[in-house]
């Protein structure tokens, strides 16, 4: 057949042609895809956190993160890690701006995401090493360790362990605390990606890399097997008898920062709810508690300086007839303290605990003069900084030793452990979440307390001004809880325990071990890179 010039021209017109602009857009989209995947995998990690019970989503989140990072340069890892951090922390910490606007929330996230970015850069380096999921998971825990210490004494909110209160890995908290629990989850996620990657590679090439496949499978299997093996460490059996604990949630007049202007009303609400509880006990409707726990800020009026406040608390204690742990704001020697006060119905105040891990920008203002120059409203809201306590707080209440961990302190490993090593047979986490309205903050903090219960094998009571108050057994199960912004009380018989879990005994050692592993992996990766460059130069 003869092809004419005309037929050739017509054939050319039928062939698809891609415009240069379209090809350029396609290249841009391909370059943007890893960035979008990093941000979306961070969002997936957020969705795995409470109040949702989708803990298992942390595994595909880290699998995608591993896929995005593996084999890239450190600069790309830095940027992709930052996007992962933003995707995770922006929605997780949105509650920090509920009452003060988006400025502090965005600033906090921008700073915290830097730690995730550095981890991302590190993961790109170790991803070229044999057994890279182990090195990468250790790097994540090292990043959490740094974030829990700097800046301003650290901000450990968002530890991977705190998203696992409903998960199969939870028993690992009793083995090595939040670092071991978090490491297992991250390792499993990176291992999931490695298994999928090697399966695709094997199907394409027909060759099985046995050593790499073994690492991937072990990264998936070992955390699950370890969690099952750690299950016997979790127990809710009484070792030192049992007590009836009472938890009072008095509620507040209104949500938000404005509740602070209603300090007397908050105190009256808690006294009234305690007296209502006493009436139910007298009527035989509720078992008599051995002691009662009030929340943080239940008496923002200093009862040592204000006779009216003292009388209100004293009347409530006498009505219920048992000791009360009262959350007060106390001024002593010109210093302000967030204090728990042990109030005896016959003797009045007999012991105190001053909060040690106080919240920056909430209980004290770093760079106060600079912040005042930017926005004077912030300095007016926090006119005087709180001072730190120096000693653990363990109240002896009707013979039971109750460790005090005030609100924000529950996020820090050391504050909870110190109470247990000081003899606490159960733990109270008095909190005030009214500032954060109905946000997810309450549920995130409640999950922390569940992890702490398993970590140290202790009953944890959580009295909150506005909810959610709860009683948590040593196995992490919530047996009773209140609603939000209602007045209510809980009474339950709970076990007292004095044995120490491996996590309690080991303390900071697992975290140190992961930091050393991460440093070793980075050192190996940097050394291998330098040797490779020297070889190429030759």
């Amino acid at each position: 057949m003869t092809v004419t010039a005309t037929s050739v021209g017509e054939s050319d017109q039928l062939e698809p042609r891609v415009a240069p602009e379209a090809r350029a857009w396609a290249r841009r989209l391909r370059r943007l895809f890893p960035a979008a995947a990093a941000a979306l995998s961070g969002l997936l990690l957020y969705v795995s956190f409470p109040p949702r019970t989708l803990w298992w989503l942390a595994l595909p989140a880290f699998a995608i993160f591993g896929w995005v990072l593996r084999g890239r340069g450190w600069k790309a890892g830095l940027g992709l890690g930052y996007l992962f951090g933003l995707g995770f922390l922006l929605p997780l910490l949105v509650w920090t701006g509920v009452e003060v606007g988006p400025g502090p929330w965005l600033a906090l996230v921008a700073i915290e995401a830097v730690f995730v970015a550095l981890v991302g850069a590190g993961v790109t380096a170790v991803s070229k090493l044999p057994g890279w999921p182990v090195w990468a998971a250790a790097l994540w825990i090292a990043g959490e360790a740094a974030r829990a210490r700097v800046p301003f004494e650290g901000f450990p909110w968002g530890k991977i362990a705190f998203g696992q209160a409903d998960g199969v890995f939870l028993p690992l908290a009793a083995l090595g605390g939040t670092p071991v629990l978090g490491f297992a989850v991250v390792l499993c996620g990176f291992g999931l990606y490695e298994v999928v990657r090697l399966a695709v590679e094997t199907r394409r090439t027909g060759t099985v890399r046995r050593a790499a496949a073994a690492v991937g499978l072990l990264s998936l299997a070992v955390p699950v097997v370890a969690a099952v093996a750690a299950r016997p460490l979790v127990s809710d059996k009484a070792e030192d008898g049992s007590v009836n604990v009472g938890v009072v949630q008095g509620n507040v007049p209104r949500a938000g920062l404005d509740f602070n202007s209603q300090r007397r009303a908050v105190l009256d609400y808690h006294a009234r709810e305690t007296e209502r509880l006493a009436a139910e006990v007298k009527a035989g409707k509720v078992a008599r508690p051995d002691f009662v726990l009030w929340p943080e800020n239940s008496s923002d009026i200093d009862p040592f300086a204000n006779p009216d406040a003292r009388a209100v608390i004293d009347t409530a204690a006498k009505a219920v007839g048992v000791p009360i742990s009262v959350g007060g704001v106390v001024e002593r020697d010109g210093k302000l303290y967030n204090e728990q006060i042990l109030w005896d119905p016959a003797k009045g105040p007999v012991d105190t605990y001053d909060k040690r891990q106080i919240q920056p920008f909430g209980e004290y203002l770093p760079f106060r003069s600079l912040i005042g120059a930017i926005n004077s409203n912030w300095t007016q809201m926090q006119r005087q900084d709180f001072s730190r306590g120096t000693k653990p707080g363990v109240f002896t209440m009707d013979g039971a030793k109750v460790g005090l961990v005030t609100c924000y302190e529950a996020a820090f490993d050391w504050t909870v452990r110190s109470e247990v090593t000081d003899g606490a047979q159960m733990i109270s986490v008095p909190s005030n979440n009214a500032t954060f309205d109905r946000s997810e903050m309450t549920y995130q903090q409640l999950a922390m307390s569940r992890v702490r219960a398993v970590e140290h094998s202790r009953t944890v009571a959580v009295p909150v001004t506005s909810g959610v108050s709860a009683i948590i057994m040593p196995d992490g199960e919530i047996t009773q809880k209140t609603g939000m912004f209602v007045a209510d009380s809980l009474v339950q018989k709970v076990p007292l325990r004095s044995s120490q879990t491996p996590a309690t005994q080991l303390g900071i050692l697992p975290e140190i071990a992961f930091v050393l592993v991460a440093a070793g992996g980075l050192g190996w990766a940097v050394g291998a890179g330098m040797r490779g460059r020297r070889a190429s130069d030759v």
Side-chain angles (χ1 to χ4, degrees):
M1 184 177 101
T2 303
V3 179
T4 64
T6 302
S7 63
V8 170
E10 290 171 352
S11 176
D12 288 343
Q13 290 174 5
L14 293 173
E15 291 177 0
R17 293 184 179 180
V18 180
E21 294 83 0
R23 287 196 296 269
W25 271 107
R27 285 194 298 271
R28 290 191 189 100
L29 288 174
R30 282 195 297 270
R31 286 197 296 267
L32 287 174
F33 187 74
L40 289 174
S41 59
L43 182 62
L44 192 64
L45 181 59
Y46 155 70
V47 175
S48 75
F49 271 66
R52 295 157 295 277
T53 57
L54 303 174
W55 57 269
W56 51 271
L57 286 178
L59 305 186
F62 278 102
I64 297 170
F65 191 41
W67 168 70
V68 167
L69 294 177
R70 190 177 184 278
R72 296 185 184 274
W74 70 268
K75 291 181 181 178
L78 200 68
L80 293 170
Y82 197 78
L83 289 172
F84 181 84
L86 292 179
F88 172 44
L89 295 171
L90 272 171
L92 186 80
L93 302 179
V94 68
W95 52 266
T96 59
V98 166
E99 290 296 330
V100 294
W105 162 50
L106 296 175
L108 174 64
V109 170
I111 293 170
E112 295 299 309
V114 169
F115 292 93
V116 184
L118 293 171
V119 170
V123 170
T124 59
V126 301
S127 68
K128 304 175 181 68
L129 299 177
W132 73 269
V134 176
W135 310 109
L139 272 166
W140 182 273
I141 301 304
E144 286 189 344
R147 199 159 63 84
R149 289 166 174 81
V150 291
F152 313 123
E153 304 291 327
F155 187 75
W157 217 278
K159 274 189 169 187
I160 298 305
F162 296 150
Q164 296 296 309
D166 290 293
V168 298
F169 299 103
L170 182 60
L172 290 172
L175 183 64
T178 59
V180 168
L181 174 53
F183 176 81
V185 175
V186 180
L187 176 62
C188 213
F190 285 144
L192 175 62
Y193 162 62
E194 184 70 349
V195 167
V196 172
R197 183 183 72 83
L198 291 171
V200 172
E201 180 184 286
T202 300
R203 185 173 181 179
R204 188 180 68 250
T205 64
T207 303
V208 179
R209 292 196 290 141
R210 294 181 179 178
V215 168
L217 289 171
L218 287 172
S219 298
L220 263 178
V222 169
V224 177
V225 172
V228 173
R231 191 69 186 86
L233 297 173
V234 180
S235 174
D236 61 0
K237 293 181 179 179
E239 295 175 335
D240 304 301
S242 302
V243 293
N244 279 334
V245 58
V247 170
V248 166
Q249 174 179 303
N251 202 12
V252 298
R254 60 179 64 89
L257 290 174
D258 192 45
F259 89 92
N260 285 304
S261 65
Q262 306 292 321
R263 295 180 300 166
R264 179 53 191 267
V266 174
L267 172 58
D268 288 342
Y269 283 10
H270 284 82
R272 184 185 309 157
E273 184 60 25
T274 304
E275 290 165 6
R276 189 191 67 80
L277 172 61
E280 290 196 339
V281 170
K282 188 175 181 180
K285 297 179 180 179
V286 178
R288 180 181 181 275
D290 295 307
F291 53 84
V292 170
L293 304 172
W294 281 13
E296 176 188 35
N297 299 128
S298 47
S299 178
D300 272 358
I301 301 174
D302 185 349
F304 296 105
N306 189 300
D308 288 346
R310 185 185 183 104
V312 169
I313 298 170
D314 210 45
T315 300
K318 283 181 168 61
V320 76
V322 297
I324 301 177
S325 178
V326 178
V329 173
V330 173
E331 187 170 353
R332 188 168 55 251
D333 300 326
K335 295 180 179 179
L336 204 60
Y337 293 94
N338 187 335
E339 189 166 85
Q340 288 293 308
I341 307 164
L342 176 54
W343 207 283
D344 185 89
K347 302 175 183 177
V350 294
D351 201 358
T352 60
Y353 166 66
D354 297 323
K355 188 175 181 180
R356 293 171 292 166
Q357 189 72 43
I358 58 176
Q359 184 180 354
F361 305 101
E363 292 172 305
Y364 76 99
L365 287 180
F367 314 121
R368 177 175 283 274
S369 58
L370 176 61
I371 290 173
I374 296 172
N375 189 333
S376 61
N377 289 333
W378 292 344
T379 55
Q380 288 174 5
M381 284 190 293
Q382 185 66 53
R383 291 191 176 126
Q384 183 179 352
D385 292 340
F386 280 82
S387 296
R388 301 174 185 274
T390 57
K391 297 178 181 178
V394 178
F395 288 168
T396 300
M397 305 183 74
D398 196 42
K401 295 186 179 297
V402 182
L404 285 305
V405 180
T406 306
C407 197
Y408 182 61
E409 292 184 317
F412 293 82
D413 294 347
W414 71 272
T415 52
V416 186
R417 179 177 179 268
S418 67
E419 313 302 66
V420 177
T421 56
D422 204 45
Q425 297 166 308
M426 67 167 288
I427 296 168
S428 173
V429 184
S431 303
N432 174 22
N433 299 339
T435 304
F436 306 108
D437 204 355
R438 297 180 181 271
S439 70
E440 293 183 356
M441 182 270 186
T442 285
Y443 302 100
Q444 293 170 10
Q445 190 178 54
L446 188 59
M448 290 180 195
S449 294
R450 294 179 64 191
V451 173
R452 298 306 186 191
V454 174
E455 182 179 14
H456 299 290
S457 195
R458 295 292 188 271
T459 297
V460 178
V462 186
V464 185
T465 51
S466 56
V468 172
S469 300
I471 295 175
I472 305 166
M473 298 297 278
D475 61 0
E477 181 186 357
I478 298 175
T479 51
Q480 288 194 63
K481 64 179 180 179
T482 69
M484 293 186 73
F485 293 99
V486 294
D488 204 352
S489 61
L490 309 172
V491 177
Q492 184 175 321
K493 186 177 183 179
V494 300
L496 299 177
R497 294 177 59 84
S498 56
S499 64
Q500 294 187 1
T501 64
T504 307
Q505 295 170 339
L506 291 171
I508 197 175
L509 292 179
E511 193 171 53
I512 292 174
F514 289 129
V515 170
L516 292 176
V517 170
L522 282 176
W524 185 7
V526 171
M530 292 177 66
R531 288 192 295 273
R533 283 194 293 272
R534 283 198 296 267
S536 63
D537 290 341
V538 173

